[in-house]
Amino acid sequence: MKKLKNDTLLRALLRQPTEYTPVWLMRQAGRYLSEYNQTRARAGNFLALCKNPNFATEVTMQPLARFPLDAAILFSDILTIPDAMGLGLYFAEGEGPKFERPLREEREIYALSVPDPAVHLRYVIDAVSQIRGALNNQIPLIGFSGSPFTLACYMVEGCGGTDFRQIKTMLYQRPELLHHILNINAQAVIAYLNAQIESGAQAVMIFDTWGGALSHAAYREFSLHYINQIVAGLKREHNGQRIPSIIFTKGGGLWLEAIAESGCDAVGLDWTTDIAEARRRIGHKVSLQGNLDPAVLFAAPEIITTEVEKILTGYGHGHGHVFNLGHGISQFTPPESALVLVEAVHTLSRKYHQ
Ligand code: CP3
């Protein structure tokens, strides 16, 4: 195995010493980059972009040509799993994801089965190995999946941007139905992430975008319980290399201790959490990833730099921090602002690692 040229991200995720704080950005390949929009137009639409490994590789590489990022993230979507289950994913222009056949009927729910990633998600697995080839061991590749609960939100609601009425009705009225879906989703995510690891993903992240919409008790029962199962089922090593895992529950700031107990290596923080406090609470156990408010990137360069410094100071001296935004980068972000951010992290963080 050829050695990774820059493994700063992997060391930081494992709380090992690094010379500076590594940085990558959630949704770093996306609509704020004109070259992304051009490739998407050539592909026809977003889903066609995801389903073609050549296009997926091309857009994964685009942000790396502009910014000195410390990681690449697989270009795909969390909704590939329910699509592979036959729910009929589509993206109406400017409207976000939708399913042709959302899950409502008991009969349909009990008919769900775990897709075989080598068959139904072959295009993702192929994209992972093709991206690894294109990266040529310069920086690591992060694979990802949605959490069972976040996937279930889209599967049951049939689209995003809802008040969670359908899924919460099911949660309270027919919890056994939701548990059935979550069980299948957890098995699907384990198989999917392990297939990504086997084809070359060097770290994995679980996006629990909607876990924060749950009550304190329901979060544990309907989201974290299944995330724990996934972490326990993940391959921890591949080709002699540890594969770190990151759990990101948006809105999960009140539950950090419980999340850190999942056995994951790192916990992602959204921008509502104070990173200094998060480190006091769980920093002895896991690395922290985050957590600049993505809206900071609409401000002037000096302000971006100041806000970066605040997060670095908040985390303080020592290792175990991966700089990121607290959620995905906005499509309205000027790309120059992302460059200011990445360079500021690299320059300003060195003093915290001496
Ligand atoms: O970070 C990266 O660069 C990797 C790519 C990535 C995408 N989606 C590409 C994408 C990742 C990691 C995701 C995860 C994802 N997808 C999540 C979890 C993270 C989060 O943002 O909370 C969720 C909830 C989804 C589902 C999804 N996909 C939504 C709600 C949308 C529409 C939102 C929007 O910004 O319009 C998508 C579409 C999507 N996924 C886009 C991209 C670049 C934009 C689609 C386009 O090009 O038109």
Side-chain angles (χ1 to χ4, degrees), residues 19-346:
E19 300 72 47
Y20 63 89
T21 304
V23 53
W24 67 279
L25 307 173
M26 287 191 263
R27 292 269 173 99
Q28 61 193 25
R31 287 165 296 186
Y32 74 112
L33 298 178
S34 56
E35 59 273 33
Y36 169 86
N37 295 319
Q38 282 165 20
T39 310
R40 193 182 62 160
R42 275 198 286 133
N45 58 58
F46 171 70
L47 215 47
L49 189 59
C50 292
K51 290 190 175 182
N52 178 320
N54 295 330
F55 285 134
T57 302
E58 186 177 314
V59 295
T60 300
M61 301 302 289
Q62 287 170 347
L64 313 177
R66 282 189 184 245
F67 321 120
L69 293 156
D70 294 290
I73 178 158
L74 161 70
F75 188 83
S76 191
D77 199 81
I78 63 165
L79 301 177
T80 51
I81 287 185
D83 185 52
M85 288 170 168
L87 273 61
L89 175 65
Y90 67 100
F91 282 80
E93 196 58 45
E95 279 181 51
K98 290 205 165 77
F99 285 106
E100 281 162 25
R101 294 172 288 282
L103 281 181
R104 300 282 160 79
E105 305 293 328
E106 182 164 342
R107 183 177 44 79
E108 294 160 349
I109 291 169
Y110 285 115
L112 264 190
S113 63
V114 178
D116 179 349
V119 179
H120 306 101
L121 292 157
R122 181 88 240 163
Y123 63 92
V124 180
I125 306 312
D126 289 343
V128 170
S129 48
Q130 206 170 312
I131 295 164
R132 276 296 304 275
L135 286 170
N136 193 24
N137 287 308
Q138 295 292 309
I139 51 174
L141 175 62
I142 302 168
F144 71 90
S145 170
S147 73
F149 177 73
T150 293
L151 295 178
C153 287
Y154 289 97
M155 293 161 76
V156 172
E157 297 288 328
C159 58
T162 69
D163 56 3
F164 304 103
R165 190 152 43 92
Q166 306 281 352
I167 192 159
K168 287 205 173 186
T169 303
M170 189 185 287
L171 185 154
Y172 290 111
Q173 191 75 39
R174 301 289 311 275
E176 77 287 3
L177 289 185
L178 184 54
H179 277 301
H180 182 79
I181 299 172
L182 295 169
N183 238 310
I184 300 268
N185 286 356
Q187 292 175 49
V189 169
I190 293 170
Y192 185 51
L193 288 178
N194 282 338
Q196 291 183 28
I197 291 168
E198 275 160 26
S199 69
Q202 291 150 297
V204 291
M205 172 150 168
I206 297 169
F207 287 90
D208 186 24
T209 306
W210 300 123
L214 291 170
S215 73
H216 181 90
Y219 174 69
R220 280 156 181 77
E221 181 179 348
F222 294 91
S223 186
L224 188 58
H225 174 74
Y226 294 94
I227 291 176
N228 292 343
Q229 280 187 7
I230 295 167
V231 176
L234 285 179
K235 279 185 75 120
R236 292 183 77 77
E237 261 190 38
H238 184 65
N239 288 337
Q241 297 294 311
R242 271 276 279 119
I243 309 291
S245 58
I246 311 161
I247 307 297
F248 173 63
T249 291
K250 185 159 176 280
L254 293 170
W255 310 321
L256 295 180
E257 289 80 2
I259 299 169
E261 280 194 14
S262 66
C264 66
D265 297 288
V267 172
L269 306 172
D270 69 29
W271 67 89
T272 63
T273 297
D274 175 22
I275 196 165
E277 192 199 315
R279 188 177 187 189
R280 280 193 293 277
R281 286 167 58 191
I282 58 170
H284 55 287
K285 217 169 170 168
V286 290
S287 292
L288 299 177
Q289 176 173 278
N291 67 341
L292 189 77
D293 183 347
V296 167
L297 296 177
F298 299 134
E302 320 78 76
I303 295 170
I304 297 172
T305 306
T306 310
E307 294 294 325
V308 164
E309 181 86 65
K310 282 188 201 162
I311 304 269
L312 292 171
T313 314
Y315 187 84
H317 224 89
H319 314 293
H321 179 208
V322 172
F323 203 101
N324 206 317
L325 301 173
H327 199 204
I329 193 166
S330 156
Q331 63 173 306
F332 305 109
T333 306
E336 310 77 66
S337 298
L339 182 60
V340 171
L341 159 71
V342 172
E343 288 183 337
V345 174
H346 283 167

